[in-house]
Amino acid sequence: MKLASLKEGGRDGTLVVASRDLTRAVRASGIATTLQAALDDWSNTAPRLNALSEDLNAGTAAGAFALDMHALASPLPRAYEFVDGSAYLPHVERVRRARGAEVPASFYTDPLMYQATSAGFLAPRDPVVVPSEDVGIDLEAEVVVVTDDVPMAATPAQASEHIQLVGLVNDVSLRGLIPGELAKGFGFLQSKPRSALSPVLVTPDELGDAWQGDKLHLPMRTWLNGQWFGEAECGVDMQFSFAQLVAHVARTRPLTAGTIIGSGTIANQDTGKGASCLAEQRTVETLRDGQPSTPFLKFGDRLKIDVTDAAGASIFGSIEQQVEPLAN
């Protein structure tokens, strides 16, 4: 099934079930008012939401209406936790090689993760608003999963059972601020503003054979200003599965239902697939040409992130945003 939230009913939106082709939706009235409420009682709400999904796709759901992507909030307008990773080591390897540094051996056995901004997510059609172009505005096209309650010290096999939803995120990064923050030795803060989730989140079974080994095996398609930018394969070169990432986060603490875990920027050893963030493309250019030629995002630039099935149909709905200045 596919779940989304309308921009109505308060800060956490109103939960709706979306049709498989993303053309119709129906409110989940009487089951759960919000996606967070559904996740809080997932063992009871999931079967009922799935039954509603079957009715909607069969054309028999009462109260169904045309789905307008612009009417959607983030599926989880705010989450208890968003923990992002860097599971695609080709990206880490290239970035470090460009500055003459080696990748520590521990990176291949111990996931690199950080606590990201979760107090609010941008809707999939909301603009990316920043105070200045000088901060190095970048997109990061990633896959995310959402869990129900995960017990402390869960093994990867146990963690896999707690992955309930899959989606996409544009993890906005301000590259000009990152070096100074990391130099303090205390992680990201100002360099990581709010991100945008895909219009819908889907249950793993909805993905069929494209979900194997707790990884998504489809290309991440990205466009800038209408031009192709990349289609890196999500299931290739992912050093750690989502089950491993969830278990890593839960090693010393339980995870609350509604926790979002990110994969990090999708990147492949094969650079012919393009890139999923500008920093990656700029690193490839630096290694090849001695300096980058691709600029960071400017006001008015448009981005699109999407994953499609074998027939070319969007699975999660596309994230489509424009970069805009902070209003005075």
Side-chain angles (χ1 to χ4, degrees):
M1 64 181 165
K2 302 188 176 188
L3 302 176
S5 296
L6 295 173
K7 291 180 176 178
E8 63 177 42
R11 299 175 98 181
D12 296 313
T14 296
L15 178 62
V16 297
V17 175
S19 62
R20 188 164 288 113
D21 62 6
L22 301 179
T23 63
R24 307 281 289 168
V26 61
R27 289 173 176 80
S29 305
I31 302 175
T33 56
T34 68
L35 180 52
Q36 182 60 55
L39 289 162
D40 285 339
D41 190 25
W42 191 247
S43 62
N44 290 316
T45 60
R48 298 170 65 193
L49 289 169
N50 191 62
L52 183 58
S53 174
E54 291 180 358
D55 288 345
L56 177 64
N57 286 301
T60 59
F65 56 90
L67 183 61
D68 176 8
M69 294 293 176
H70 293 276
L72 294 180
S74 162
L76 273 172
R78 52 181 174 172
Y80 286 107
E81 287 195 82
F82 174 25
V83 185
D84 202 10
S86 189
Y88 292 86
L89 291 190
H91 174 70
V92 179
E93 291 166 347
R94 278 192 285 268
V95 169
R96 294 183 74 89
R97 187 164 73 248
R99 65 172 189 258
E102 294 291 327
V103 177
S106 64
F107 281 27
Y108 295 91
T109 58
D110 193 34
L112 189 63
M113 305 189 77
Y114 74 96
Q115 195 84 30
T117 302
S118 64
F121 286 91
L122 302 174
R125 298 292 194 274
D126 281 357
V128 176
V129 177
V130 289
S132 169
E133 292 180 334
D134 298 333
V135 292
I137 310 161
D138 200 356
L139 69 120
E140 289 192 58
E142 306 182 17
V143 180
V144 295
V145 298
V146 182
T147 73
D148 59 9
D149 290 305
V150 182
M152 184 192 305
T155 66
Q158 292 168 335
S160 177
E161 298 301 314
H162 294 281
I163 295 172
Q164 304 301 351
L165 296 168
V166 184
L168 311 179
V169 68
N170 174 23
D171 177 40
V172 181
S173 292
L174 305 180
R175 301 295 183 184
L177 302 181
I178 288 177
E181 292 201 318
L182 293 184
K184 295 179 179 180
F186 217 53
F188 303 116
L189 183 65
Q190 295 174 346
S191 54
K192 288 290 187 175
R194 290 185 172 182
S195 299
L197 293 175
S198 52
V200 304
L201 299 174
V202 312
T203 48
D205 64 283
E206 193 76 30
L207 299 168
D209 291 341
W211 184 256
Q212 296 183 42
D214 296 300
K215 299 178 183 179
L216 179 65
H217 295 266
L218 289 169
M220 176 70 72
R221 305 187 187 280
T222 311
W223 296 263
L224 291 178
N225 296 317
Q227 300 297 311
W228 177 90
F229 185 70
E231 51 184 15
E233 294 288 342
C234 298
V236 176
D237 301 313
M238 189 180 185
Q239 185 75 10
F240 304 101
S241 71
F242 276 108
Q244 290 173 301
L245 296 179
V246 172
H248 179 78
V249 180
R251 179 185 177 190
T252 59
R253 65 187 183 193
L255 305 184
T256 300
T259 292
I260 299 173
I261 304 292
S263 65
T265 305
I266 313 301
N268 298 152
Q269 293 289 358
D270 179 8
T271 58
K273 296 286 188 178
S276 300
C277 74
L278 293 164
E280 168 80 5
Q281 180 62 28
R282 288 167 60 88
T283 297
V284 170
E285 293 164 352
T286 298
L287 292 170
R288 184 188 64 211
D289 308 323
Q291 63 182 8
S293 54
T294 298
F296 287 117
L297 296 172
K298 302 294 184 182
F299 295 144
D301 282 348
R302 295 171 290 106
L303 63 93
K304 180 179 178 181
I305 297 168
D306 201 4
V307 168
T308 57
D309 61 19
S314 180
I315 295 174
F316 308 97
S318 58
I319 299 173
E320 299 181 31
Q321 300 180 279
Q322 181 167 300
V323 181
E324 297 182 3
L326 178 66
N328 294 326

